[in-house]
């Protein structure tokens, strides 16, 4: 099997702007007799945002783990960045993962390493020169506003800071797809907003395709309906125009299937009783 | 009832299968690159240096007690002067390897299970994989290598402390002269004993390392799961140490003597 380096021009074009970057085709997965996902299909377009909603245990984290190849589906096909990930060996997956950044639920920072070592982990692992790594670590921590915590241990950080370090770690090696698993759950509204802003900034300024898992409607709507602009007045987060807002799509999971799929406005206007109970 | 037994047997067989797979994958990873040298050095230090005190004390007191006990028994046959032979032979062939391994199971096996277990339940193992690191190479290989290589080293140290303690007791308590004791220590030793005393701990160290890592990596269910994994690792590793020693002893006797 060929990898990113060996793509034909035709495939390169097919993977250009407006093309799908993550595709699920009738994916099913069960743990023993607990069916978590049943025939799930969706497509994420390059530079767009998918927001997964659903009660806890509805399979949101499982979907992200399938994308990274940490789990294998029982059936169905998953494409990431033009490569199938559902039937690959761990060695193949390692190469595909260089274009994927995942922010785990609760962060999953390595607690034996400092913040800097966590953020620079992948670059060091790939054998990048030390100076280059620490420069990038500085840059990324500056981007998320945690420069002064560079030498702390994860245990010495607050919950919100830990999530932001997790985001820094996931973006440090410039993947083109970022997956966020409940990056704002359990945070106060002000801290949650700063995390949301990072997600918006990465999407709009670095052209990253994002998949966001949350059950906090407030954060989901904020990410869907805002955009980051960088102009003469500096960097600002402003309400997005209608076309931009339509680039973010919501998917509501329920009982192993997709209960709802649509944009922020459609979700807000929905009369579905289950959605209403979730929204209120 | 029958169904429960069936389920239990199935689960046990699955567990054994997974364990054997892990051992197989570790063997593969030990002979191929990449190696995480820094982690390997750290584990040698943590397991080797960190266990020195425990193992030395265990050896010392076992040797001392052994000398006292055998001194009394040997008196009945008027053979008190043979105490050195008894201490050295039983320590080097049997007690040194087994007691050191039991100490390591308690100290090192539980540590591995707790550390890898908490990494597993907080998704740190998954995070490693997502960042392109094979947890087997980064976490398991260094620990298994360290416990396999350090177990015989620590056993030799325990033996040394035990034989020294035996000497102190013999001289102070049993009235056996220093030269008699050390002559007997040497008399009691065959080349086969030395090999047995080195090969056993290699196997036992391998068992402790792989069991600790396997149990840790398969921990599920939050902090409670980590607690369970830690206890399980100690219990399983300790019982296996004694069982493996039992089966290894006749095998080595046939091969080495
Ligand atoms: N490794 C696993 N083994 C067994 N069951 C699992 C595992 N991971 C998740 N599950 C089960 O799958 C379901 C979905 O889990 P998850 O995707 O974590 O839900 P969510 O992230 O939406 O809260 C839950 O019922 C959970 O118990
Ligand atoms: Mg989850």
């Amino acid at each position: 099997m060929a990898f990113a380096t060996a793509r034909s021009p035709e495939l390169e074009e097919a993977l250009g702007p407006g093309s799908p970057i993550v595709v699920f085709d009738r994916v099913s997965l069960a743990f023993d007799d607990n069916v978590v996902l049943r025939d799930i299909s969706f497509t994420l377009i390059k530079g767009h945002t998918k927001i997964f909603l659903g009660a806890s245990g509805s399979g949101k984290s499982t979907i992200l783990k399938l994308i990274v190849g940490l789990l294998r589906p029982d059936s169905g096909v998953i494409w990431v960045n033009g490569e199938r990930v559902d039937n690959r060996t761990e060695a193949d997956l390692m190469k595909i993962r260089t274009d994927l950044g995942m922010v785990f639920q609760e962060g999953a920072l390595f607690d034996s390493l400092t913040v800097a070592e966590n953020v620079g982990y992948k670059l060091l692992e790939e054998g990048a020169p030390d100076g280059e790594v620490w420069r990038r670590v500085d840059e990324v921590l500056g981007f998320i506003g945690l420069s002064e915590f560079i030498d702390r241990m994860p245990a010495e950080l607050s919950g919100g800071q830990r999530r932001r370090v997790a985001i820094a770690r996931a973006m440090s090696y410039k993947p083109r797809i970022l997956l966020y698993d409940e990056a704002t759950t359990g945070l106060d509204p002000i801290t949650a907003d700063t995390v949301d802003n990072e997600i918006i900034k990465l999407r709009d300024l670095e052209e990253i395709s994002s998949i966001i898992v949350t059950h906090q409607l407030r954060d989901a709507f904020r990410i869907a309906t805002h955009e980051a602009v960088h102009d003469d007045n500096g960097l600002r987060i402003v309400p997005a125009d209608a076309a931009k807002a339509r680039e973010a799509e919501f998917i509501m999971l329920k009982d192993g299937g997709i209960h709802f799929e649509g944009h922020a406005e459609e979700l807000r206007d929905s009369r579905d009783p289950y959605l209403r109970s979730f929204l209120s | 009832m029958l169904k429960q037994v069936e389920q239990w047997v199935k689960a046990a067989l699955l567990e054994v299968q997974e364990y054997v797979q892990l051992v197989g994958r570790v063997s593969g990873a030990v002979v191929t690159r990449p190696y995480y040298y820094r982690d390997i050095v750290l584990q040698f230090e943590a397991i080797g240096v960190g266990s020195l005190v425990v193992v030395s004390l265990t050896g010392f007191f076992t040797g001392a007690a052994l000398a006292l006990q055998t001194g009394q028994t040997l008196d009945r046959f008027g053979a008190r002067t043979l105490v050195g032979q008894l201490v050295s032979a039983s320590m080097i062939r049997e007690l040194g390897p087994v007691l050191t391994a039991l100490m390591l199971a308690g100290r090192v096996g539980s540590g591995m299970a707790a550390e890898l277990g908490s990494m597993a339940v907080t998704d740190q193992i998954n995070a490693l994989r997502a960042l392109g690191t094979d947890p087997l190479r980064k976490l398991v290989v260094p620990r298994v290598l360290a416990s396999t290589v350090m177990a015989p080293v620590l056993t030799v140290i325990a033996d040394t402390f035990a034989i020294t303690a035996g000497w102190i007791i013999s001289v102070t308590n049993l009235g056996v002269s220093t030269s008699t004791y050390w002559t007997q220590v040497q008399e009691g030793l065959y080349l086969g004993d030395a090999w047995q005393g080195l090969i056993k701990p290699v196997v036992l160290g391998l068992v402790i390392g792989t069991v600790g890592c396997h149990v840790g990596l398969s921990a599920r269910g939050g902090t409670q799961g980590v607690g369970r994994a830690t206890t399980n690792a100690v219990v399983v590793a300790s019982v296996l140490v004694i069982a493996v020693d039992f089966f290894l002893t006749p095998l080595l006797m046939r091969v080495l003597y």
Side-chain angles (χ1 to χ4, degrees):
Chain A
M1 277 268 181
F3 283 105
T5 46
R7 278 181 191 151
S8 69
E10 289 80 7
L11 184 57
E12 252 339 310
E13 192 189 326
L15 294 172
S19 65
I21 194 157
V22 175
V23 178
F24 268 50
D25 184 28
R26 284 179 295 154
V27 172
S28 299
L29 175 64
F31 294 109
D32 298 326
D33 39 2
N34 172 15
V35 181
V36 180
L37 302 176
R38 193 182 281 120
D39 274 346
I40 298 283
S41 304
F42 68 87
T43 304
L44 173 69
I45 304 292
K46 199 170 256 186
H48 289 202
T49 308
K50 275 270 185 252
I51 301 174
F52 281 90
L53 302 170
S56 91
S58 57
K60 306 184 296 295
S61 300
T62 304
I63 286 185
L64 297 189
K65 286 178 182 166
L66 283 167
I67 296 173
V68 189
L70 300 173
L71 293 171
R72 259 168 211 277
D74 295 335
S75 64
V77 178
I78 302 170
W79 296 83
V80 174
N81 228 349
E83 308 275 357
R84 267 183 80 166
V85 296
D86 54 278
N87 59 354
R88 305 302 278 276
T89 64
E90 189 77 6
D92 286 350
L93 286 170
M94 289 299 182
K95 294 172 199 156
I96 296 169
R97 285 170 187 154
T98 55
D99 225 359
L100 281 166
M102 176 146 174
V103 179
F104 284 85
Q105 205 167 344
E106 314 295 342
L109 298 179
F110 304 128
D111 37 37
S112 56
L113 304 181
T114 65
V115 166
E117 288 165 340
N118 263 285
V119 174
Y121 183 88
K122 171 125 183 156
L123 295 171
L124 289 171
E125 178 85 8
E126 285 171 346
D130 277 14
E132 213 169 278
V133 174
W134 302 129
R135 211 170 315 123
R136 176 70 182 153
V137 168
D138 271 336
E139 185 185 12
V140 183
L141 284 175
F143 186 86
I144 59 156
L146 284 178
S147 298
E148 68 265 44
F149 297 102
I150 190 159
D151 289 322
R152 295 266 189 105
M153 298 305 283
E156 302 165 331
L157 301 179
S158 73
Q161 291 164 344
R162 231 172 292 154
R163 304 290 171 79
R164 279 148 74 199
V165 173
I167 294 176
R169 183 175 69 182
M171 64 178 276
S172 64
Y173 48 97
K174 302 190 175 165
R176 282 175 288 184
I177 308 169
L178 272 174
L179 315 172
Y180 305 90
D181 197 348
E182 306 208 13
T184 56
T185 300
L187 302 183
D188 62 90
I190 296 175
T191 314
D193 277 354
T194 63
V195 172
D196 293 339
N197 289 352
E198 302 317 328
I199 297 175
I200 297 170
K201 270 156 58 185
L202 283 170
R203 180 191 61 196
D204 298 339
L205 305 179
E206 316 267 326
E207 287 172 272
I208 285 173
S209 315
S210 337
I211 297 189
I212 293 155
V213 159
T214 183
H215 51 224
Q216 317 235 115
L217 260 299
R218 187 180 162 280
D219 298 310
F221 278 116
R222 184 181 167 83
I223 293 166
T225 58
H226 285 73
E227 67 179 317
V229 289
H230 201 163
D231 55 20
D232 304 338
N233 299 329
L235 198 163
R236 286 168 303 134
I237 307 284
V238 298
D241 59 40
K244 177 76 188 172
R246 292 183 76 78
E247 289 183 0
E249 228 185 2
F250 289 78
I251 291 182
M252 166 75 95
L253 296 175
K254 184 178 176 238
D255 301 330
I258 293 181
H259 185 74
F260 167 87
E261 190 168 9
H263 310 296
E265 226 158 292
E266 295 168 89
L267 178 61
R268 222 181 255 132
D269 298 341
S270 164
R271 292 276 130 243
D272 180 83
Y274 184 76
L275 283 179
R276 299 287 354 145
S277 73
F278 209 88
L279 290 177
S280 55
Chain B
M1 182 64 200
L2 208 68
K3 202 160 174 245
Q4 269 173 338
V5 172
E6 196 186 306
Q7 266 177 358
W8 187 87
V9 170
K10 258 189 203 153
L13 284 178
L14 201 70
E15 187 83 27
V16 170
Q17 187 193 348
E18 278 172 7
Y19 173 72
V20 172
Q21 273 170 1
L22 178 87
V23 175
R25 284 165 54 217
V26 170
S27 325
V30 166
V31 294
T32 53
R33 292 207 293 172
Y35 297 108
Y36 289 87
Y37 294 104
R38 216 175 78 105
D39 296 272
I40 293 176
V41 171
L42 277 178
Q43 287 305 320
F44 268 79
E45 200 181 312
I47 292 175
V49 181
S51 308
L52 264 179
V53 174
V54 180
V55 164
S56 313
L57 285 175
T58 309
F60 188 88
F61 287 113
T62 308
L66 206 58
L68 277 177
Q69 291 278 10
T70 51
Q72 219 175 49
T73 313
L74 288 171
D75 265 352
R76 277 192 240 145
F77 309 101
R80 183 186 273 203
T81 46
L82 297 182
V83 64
Q85 234 184 79
L86 251 161
V87 171
S88 71
S90 44
M91 274 314 291
I92 289 171
R93 281 156 59 165
E94 191 63 34
L95 288 175
V98 171
L99 289 176
T100 306
L102 285 177
M103 287 296 137
L104 287 182
R107 197 187 158 275
V108 172
S110 66
M112 291 177 188
E115 203 177 348
L116 299 196
S118 57
M119 288 187 78
V121 302
T122 56
D123 263 339
Q124 288 179 57
I125 305 279
N126 276 333
L128 275 178
R129 291 172 63 201
L131 291 167
T133 299
D134 183 351
L136 192 85
R137 293 178 185 278
K138 170 125 185 129
L139 302 173
V140 178
V141 166
R143 284 169 175 76
V144 171
L145 270 183
S147 65
T148 308
V149 173
M150 290 321 282
V153 174
L154 291 165
T155 300
V156 169
I157 292 170
D159 292 344
T160 310
F161 270 86
I163 293 170
T164 309
W167 165 64
I168 294 171
I169 293 291
S170 299
V171 172
T172 57
N173 233 296
L174 304 175
V176 174
S177 77
T178 299
S179 63
T180 313
Y181 180 82
W182 288 110
T183 316
Q184 286 302 321
V185 164
Q186 280 173 15
E187 288 279 301
L189 276 189
Y190 296 90
L191 193 62
D193 294 337
W195 278 115
Q196 196 181 160
L198 285 176
I199 293 172
K200 268 185 184 176
V202 169
V203 179
L204 300 181
L206 180 71
V207 168
I208 293 165
T210 46
V211 167
C213 289
H214 169 70
V215 174
L217 287 179
S218 41
R220 294 283 175 274
T223 41
Q224 270 197 329
V226 179
R228 267 197 309 274
T230 310
T231 315
N232 282 347
V234 177
V235 172
V236 172
S238 304
V239 172
L240 271 182
V241 160
I242 294 174
V244 167
D245 174 71
F246 171 74
F247 289 110
L248 210 53
T249 301
L251 192 79
L252 288 177
M253 281 180 163
R254 203 167 315 152
V255 177
L256 293 174
Y257 296 88

